[in-house]
């Protein structure tokens, strides 16, 4: 039987639950109302012991009565326990809180933190968001309501890619609430996402080597921007391109992150700052390592070598792009923001002929397809690649020299053009009425240009100086032997030379 005691103005009651454990619960200022609560608790315990009530139903009933903000905080703690970074957890939690506030009737502008907000404005923003969350419960999260909230964010100007991030966060929260026993089923099973390819506002591009050098030069000689000096910004951009590190990862780099004893030197990003939750060890190019070492040596231990502000990398980069005369957004609508430096790293590695598997490992991507999205060759690069392809055009056939057995004078006339004639023309033995020897018949085609003369290249000469093409049998051997017994090689001018075997002498003719 329940017992009661009073603390101040409030009554408390004690009862024995279904597991036989004595528990104390808070009642009301009215003792009779507190007695009713105690009787209800004892009745529930008795029904559970008798198997008439499922304890999980009671647990879900308790969770349903609690503010949704408490559940969101518990979900954030679960993400942290699973190894999520503090930045990822905070971002995910805030996205779910904003969705819930919009579901409860808030306008997107009321719950979206302004990018230009000052630190002093944050308490007012958090208080306004908390007001919207206070009456919200888990039952408010339905597919229809959340879908309408996403549509409201889209109308406010949020990109499709960002909407997918919101959808992923709230879907993850819904699954967690179901699997942890807070809900009987997954409330957001049918929630639809968006095709981010339709929204080109944040499609990125890469720069050519000349443009990159102009950017680095402009940053190096530029003024200080929010504690980031020009030389430091130049080193930052070079480190981003040389390693593919993200903005948040670069913020975490400290003097002790470098290992100067390694050959080559490396920089390590701790697992707490990487996107995949795994430590990253990146090799540094020699020239970059030699320039970074003095900066790391002059930075106090434990302090970031790059004093970067939160999520302001794009604004910093745009100032240096303007100074270098490089547009942030090109004529095709493609942008070059800070994350494009990471795309630049993948593209340069690909252009250098690095295997896709190695590029994937350097970029720390889970799949090759994700690496493909970061490899963004420029249109001019693709044009040059296309123009560098070898020509496969079918060449015009070059008629071989026609020869006939007979005197040395006839053989000489086969290789040397007649004086006053077109140099491409040589005497056709058929025009002289000489029959073609059976010995030559296998090697010499019978076609011509119809004029009684064969067509030869303009540089057809004897194989050595002005000697006749018909010489005693050559002792030279070429590197390529053909199936017909002939050999093919190159002369001293780089021209082709064909040797046709005969009985006692060989005929050589140059080809272009």
């Amino acid at each position: 039987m329940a017992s009661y005691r009073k603390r101040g103005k409030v009554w408390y009651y004690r009862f024995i639950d279904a597991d036989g454990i004595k528990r104390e619960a808070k009642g009301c200022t009215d003792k009779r109302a507190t007695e009713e609560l105690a009787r209800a608790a004892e009745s529930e315990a008795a029904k559970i012991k008798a198997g008439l009530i499922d304890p999980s139903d009671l647990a879900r009933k308790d969770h349903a009565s609690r503010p949704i903000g408490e559940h969101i905080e518990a979900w954030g703690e679960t993400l942290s326990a699973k190894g999520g970074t503090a930045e990822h957890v905070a971002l995910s939690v805030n996205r779910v809180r904003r969705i819930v506030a919009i579901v409860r009737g808030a306008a997107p502008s009321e719950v979206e933190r302004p990018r230009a907000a000052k630190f002093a404005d944050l308490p007012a923003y958090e208080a306004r968001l908390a007001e919207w969350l206070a009456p919200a419960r888990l039952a408010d999260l339905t597919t229809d309501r959340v879908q309408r909230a996403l549509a409201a964010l889209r109308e406010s100007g949020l990109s499709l890619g960002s909407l997918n991030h919101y959808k992923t966060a709230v879907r993850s929260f819904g699954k967690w609430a179901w699997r942890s026993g807070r809900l009987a089923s997954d409330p957001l099973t049918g929630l639809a996402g968006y095709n981010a390819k339709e929204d080109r506002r944040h499609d990125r591009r890469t720069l050519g080597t000349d443009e990159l050098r102009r950017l680095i030069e402009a940053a190096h000689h530029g003024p200080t921007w929010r504690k980031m000096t020009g030389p430091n910004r130049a080193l930052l951009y070079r480190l981003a391109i040389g390693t593919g590190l993200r903005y948040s990862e670069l913020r975490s780099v400290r003097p002790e992150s470098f290992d100067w004893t390694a050959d080559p030197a490396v920089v390590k990003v701790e697992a707490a700052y990487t996107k995949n939750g795994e430590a990253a060890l990146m090799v540094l190019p020699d020239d970059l390592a030699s320039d970074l070492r003095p900066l790391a040596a002059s930075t106090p231990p434990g302090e970031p070598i790059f004093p970067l502000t939160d999520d302001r990398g794009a604004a910093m980069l745009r100032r240096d792009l303007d100074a270098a005369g490089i547009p942030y957004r090109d004529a095709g609508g493609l942008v070059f923001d800070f994350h494009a430096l990471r795309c630049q790293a993948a593209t340069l590695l690909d252009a250098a002929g690095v295997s896709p598997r190695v590029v994937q490992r350097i970029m720390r991507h889970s799949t090759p397809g994700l690496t493909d999205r970061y490899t963004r060759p420029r249109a001019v690069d693709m044009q040059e690649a296309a123009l560098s392809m070898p020509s496969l055009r079918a060449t015009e056939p070059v008629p071989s020299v026609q020869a006939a057995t007979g005197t040395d004078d006839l053989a000489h006339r086969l290789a040397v053009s007649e004086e006053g004639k077109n140099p491409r023309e040589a005497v056709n033995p058929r025009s002289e009425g000489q029959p073609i020897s059976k010995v030559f018949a296998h090697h010499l085609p019978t076609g011509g240009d119809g004029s009684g003369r064969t067509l030869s290249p303009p540089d057809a000469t004897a194989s050595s100086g002005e000697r006749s093409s018909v010489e005693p049998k050559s002792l030279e051997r070429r590197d390529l032997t053909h199936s017909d017994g002939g050999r093919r090689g190159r002369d001293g001018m780089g021209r082709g030379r064909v040797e046709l075997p005969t009985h006692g002498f060989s005929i050589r003719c140059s080809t272009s």
Side-chain angles (χ1 to χ4, degrees):
M1 187 169 180
S3 60
Y4 306 91
R5 66 173 178 163
K6 189 175 185 180
R7 292 182 184 176
K9 296 182 179 181
V10 179
W11 285 91
Y12 289 79
Y13 62 93
R14 291 182 177 180
F15 70 102
I16 297 176
D17 64 10
D19 297 325
I21 300 174
K22 183 176 289 187
R23 298 187 182 279
E24 184 178 61
K26 185 179 180 179
C28 307
T29 56
D30 185 356
K31 185 177 181 180
R32 290 186 178 180
T34 303
E35 290 174 349
E36 292 180 2
L37 292 174
R39 285 193 292 270
E42 289 178 331
S43 176
E44 276 187 357
K47 291 179 179 179
I48 292 174
K49 290 180 67 175
L52 301 177
I53 297 178
D54 187 351
S56 60
D57 292 338
L58 294 177
R60 284 193 291 270
K61 183 178 179 181
D62 176 62
H63 288 310
S65 64
R66 293 164 54 192
I68 197 171
E70 296 181 12
H71 299 290
I72 295 176
E73 290 180 5
W75 173 60
E77 293 173 359
T78 302
L79 292 179
S80 297
K82 291 170 63 177
T85 64
E87 184 178 4
H88 170 69
V89 172
L91 189 61
S92 301
V93 165
N94 285 331
R95 282 170 175 162
V96 175
R97 294 174 69 202
R98 291 167 188 161
I99 286 289
V100 172
I102 296 174
V103 166
R104 292 292 304 178
S109 59
E110 295 182 78
V111 297
E112 182 66 27
R113 175 184 171 183
R115 290 187 176 273
K118 298 180 180 178
F119 184 78
D121 299 333
L122 294 182
Y125 162 77
E126 292 293 337
R128 184 168 62 253
L129 189 58
E131 291 178 3
W132 286 105
L133 292 176
R137 298 293 184 269
L138 284 173
D140 291 322
L141 284 185
T142 65
T143 300
D144 291 341
R145 290 180 179 180
V146 173
Q147 198 75 66
R148 287 195 294 269
L150 292 174
L153 285 172
R154 182 179 184 179
E155 292 176 359
S156 70
L158 202 65
S159 70
L160 299 185
S162 296
L163 288 174
N164 284 336
H165 293 318
Y166 274 84
K167 177 245 182 184
T168 299
V170 73
R171 281 282 287 123
S172 176
F173 173 71
K175 286 183 178 180
W176 170 84
W178 163 50
R179 291 172 178 171
S180 61
R182 288 168 167 76
L183 292 172
S185 61
D186 185 356
L188 303 175
T189 302
L191 191 63
Y194 299 88
N195 183 6
K197 294 181 179 180
E198 296 178 355
D199 190 353
R200 292 178 54 85
R201 72 181 69 184
H202 292 302
D203 274 3
R204 297 181 174 92
R205 75 180 194 276
T206 54
L207 302 179
T209 306
D210 293 340
E211 289 179 308
L212 286 176
R213 290 196 176 101
R214 281 165 46 199
L215 173 62
I216 300 300
E217 192 73 16
H220 184 82
H221 297 287
T224 299
W225 189 86
R226 296 195 176 191
K227 299 182 180 180
M228 281 289 292
T229 64
N232 283 10
R233 292 200 307 276
L235 283 174
L236 173 69
Y237 300 155
R238 290 172 59 192
L239 182 58
I241 296 172
T243 61
L245 291 176
R246 302 175 178 87
Y247 184 82
S248 58
E249 296 168 341
L250 293 166
R251 289 182 61 197
S252 71
V253 175
R254 287 161 171 75
E256 52 270 22
S257 301
F258 296 95
D259 184 0
W260 305 114
T261 62
D263 187 17
V266 296
V267 58
K268 182 179 181 181
V269 179
E270 299 297 336
Y273 300 100
T274 61
K275 187 176 181 179
N276 60 3
E278 299 178 1
L281 195 65
M282 312 303 297
V283 176
L284 298 174
D286 292 337
D287 64 327
L288 178 58
S290 61
D291 293 342
L292 279 170
R293 192 165 186 172
L295 176 61
S298 62
T299 304
E303 294 294 323
I305 66 171
F306 299 116
L308 299 171
T309 56
D310 184 20
D311 197 25
R312 299 294 292 174
M316 175 182 64
L317 180 62
R318 290 187 72 161
R319 293 172 65 93
D320 292 322
L321 286 172
D322 292 340
I326 302 172
Y328 168 74
R329 189 184 300 274
D330 66 5
L334 304 179
V335 302
F336 191 83
D337 58 7
F338 197 93
H339 200 69
L341 297 173
R342 180 169 165 81
C343 297
Q344 193 78 56
T347 303
L348 290 177
L349 288 170
D350 181 72
V354 180
S355 69
R357 181 62 176 170
V358 174
V359 177
Q360 178 188 346
R361 293 292 297 273
I362 292 176
M363 299 298 293
R364 294 167 289 137
H365 286 152
S366 57
T367 63
L370 185 56
T371 304
D372 290 342
R373 292 172 53 189
Y374 278 74
T375 305
R376 301 178 180 229
R378 301 173 301 155
V380 65
D381 295 329
M382 291 185 285
Q383 291 173 3
E384 291 179 358
L387 295 176
S388 69
M389 295 290 288
S391 174
L392 301 179
R393 174 193 291 173
T395 58
E396 292 295 332
V398 179
S400 300
V401 177
Q402 297 183 359
T405 57
T407 64
D408 291 347
D409 178 65
L410 175 60
H412 178 75
R413 293 167 63 192
L414 288 174
V416 181
S417 300
E418 292 181 290
E419 186 177 357
K421 298 291 186 179
N422 189 317
R424 290 182 175 271
E425 298 178 354
V427 175
N428 189 335
R430 289 189 174 184
S431 65
E432 300 294 325
Q434 299 290 338
I436 298 179
S437 170
K438 292 182 180 181
V439 177
F440 284 86
H442 176 70
H443 301 286
L444 301 180
T446 58
D449 63 352
S451 63
R453 301 181 184 275
T454 56
L455 300 180
S456 303
D459 57 347
T461 60
S463 61
S464 176
E466 296 296 326
R467 291 181 299 169
S468 170
S469 295
V470 182
E471 299 176 344
K473 189 172 183 178
S474 174
L475 298 178
E476 296 182 30
R477 291 293 181 264
R478 300 303 173 214
D479 56 343
L480 182 61
T481 302
H482 293 272
S483 59
D484 60 356
R487 295 182 178 273
R488 188 180 301 272
R490 309 297 292 182
D491 64 11
M493 300 294 292
R495 298 171 298 201
R497 181 169 60 207
V498 178
E499 294 183 13
L500 302 178
T502 63
H503 294 277
F505 55 87
S506 63
I507 297 179
R508 303 175 186 174
C509 62
S510 298
T511 59
S512 58

